[in-house]
Amino acid sequence: MAEHDNGGADASDARTQQERDAERRRRRAMFLRELNEAKELRDRVQPRRARAARARQQMRMRTFRW
């Protein structure tokens, strides 16, 4: 019963994992940028709703307990 050695497979798995993580971070950053753009656009298109949402958020922050 001999132990099996993957040779360089572990190193390539680690590299592909890093690549997957980097790709995931890139996709997440792009998603967050697009989300912020959409929120800004919504705020410009619907200023009354945006103002009300800001007021609700401020009230939430005032009543939040640490």
Side-chain angles (χ1 to χ4, degrees), residues 5-8 13 15 17-18 23-25 28 32 35 38 40-41 43 51 53 55 58-59 61-62 64:
D5 187 14
N6 289 344
D13 286 348
R15 195 186 78 230
Q17 179 65 36
Q18 287 175 343
E23 179 62 27
R24 183 178 58 80
R25 283 192 297 272
R28 183 174 187 272
L32 292 175
L35 181 63
E40 289 171 5
L41 176 63
D43 289 350
R51 203 166 35 247
Q58 287 173 349
M59 188 59 74
M61 294 308 288
R62 278 189 214 126
F64 182 77

Side-chain angles (χ1 to χ4, degrees), residues 13-39:
D13 286 348
R15 195 186 78 230
T16 57
Q17 179 65 36
Q18 287 175 343
E19 290 171 357
R20 280 193 298 252
D21 289 346
E23 179 62 27
R24 183 178 58 80
R25 283 192 297 272
R26 267 194 303 276
R27 283 195 314 266
R28 183 174 187 272
M30 186 185 316
F31 169 75
L32 292 175
R33 272 195 305 272
E34 291 174 355
L35 181 63
N36 282 333
E37 289 175 8
K39 286 180 181 180

